[in-house]
Amino acid sequence: ETCITGLTCYCGNADSPLTTLLALGREAPLVVSLGATESDAPWTREIANPRFLIDEGLPLETLRTVSPFLVEPSDHPDFCDWIDVAWKRDAAVFFYHQQGIDQVHATLRKIVHQTAREKDALPDQAPGVLGVYVPQIVRQIMTTGPNDLATLLMKDFAAIATPGLAPNEWRIFSHMD
């Protein structure tokens, strides 16, 4: 289906959405959102060098409980198990890219910390933190806009996948038909 933003949304349902999403054949760093950084979430403790999206000036233990971060399959042997748990908690966003994870990290940090003074900033956007790592927010932006924000977010990615609204549902947003 075509979204108001002009993006194409592919929706699907699978017993294991993770298998479907990983089978697309692209490296897909995963952003674990604020909702997933609960004390029982193992990835908050076990990633040696997390790529945080929020201010790294805070102590590591604080960041582990408040900041989403990027993780890729090679970061930990339990990656697939973690992603399955995060996906079920509506706490995972897949960013499909043609770049290395360091570039994805830089791109997302720039968008998360977007300011009106930057060249690529959104018009009239005040400095602050933009929650493009929260599945509910990403779905809303990709589906209904604002269009300039959807364009900015999709600029460096081939596709972005989020959990859908129903259990086992997934949505993939892309410029492709």
Side-chain angles (χ1 to χ4, degrees):
E1 71 184 58
T2 302
C3 302
I4 292 171
T5 59
L7 295 173
T8 301
C9 179
Y10 302 91
C11 299
N13 217 318
D15 287 339
S16 177
L18 176 62
T19 302
T20 302
L21 295 169
L22 291 177
L24 292 175
R26 300 178 195 212
E27 185 173 282
L30 172 76
V31 175
V32 179
S33 76
L34 287 171
T37 56
E38 301 152 6
S39 60
D40 65 337
W43 55 85
T44 64
R45 300 178 305 276
E46 296 182 22
I47 294 289
N49 297 305
R51 296 167 191 94
F52 294 110
L53 295 179
I54 305 274
D55 187 6
E56 283 131 357
L58 296 171
L60 179 61
E61 289 311 308
T62 301
L63 286 171
R64 287 187 183 277
T65 61
V66 301
S67 179
F69 58 91
L70 289 176
V71 61
E72 61 184 341
S74 63
D75 283 342
H76 198 279
D78 292 333
F79 173 82
C80 288
D81 293 337
W82 293 353
I83 302 319
D84 191 48
V85 170
W87 191 265
K88 289 174 182 170
R89 292 181 183 182
D90 197 24
V93 179
F94 281 80
F95 292 91
Y96 294 92
H97 62 87
Q98 305 300 322
Q99 319 161 47
I101 194 161
D102 291 335
Q103 183 58 43
V104 171
H105 183 234
T107 297
L108 287 174
R109 276 190 53 81
K110 182 177 179 182
I111 293 170
V112 166
H113 296 282
Q114 190 68 262
T115 68
R117 294 181 300 279
E118 294 176 356
K119 178 180 163 254
D120 294 329
L122 297 171
D124 303 319
Q125 180 71 28
V129 175
L130 188 58
V132 297
Y133 44 80
V134 178
Q136 302 93 318
I137 293 173
V138 173
R139 281 193 302 268
Q140 183 72 28
I141 292 168
M142 297 294 128
T143 305
T144 61
N147 290 2
D148 50 357
L149 183 51
T151 299
L152 178 66
L153 190 54
M154 286 299 300
K155 184 174 84 170
D156 294 311
F157 301 104
I160 297 175
T162 70
L165 299 176
N168 296 326
E169 183 184 68
W170 50 264
R171 295 182 182 200
I172 300 175
F173 299 94
S174 171
H175 287 293
M176 300 176 271
D177 294 325

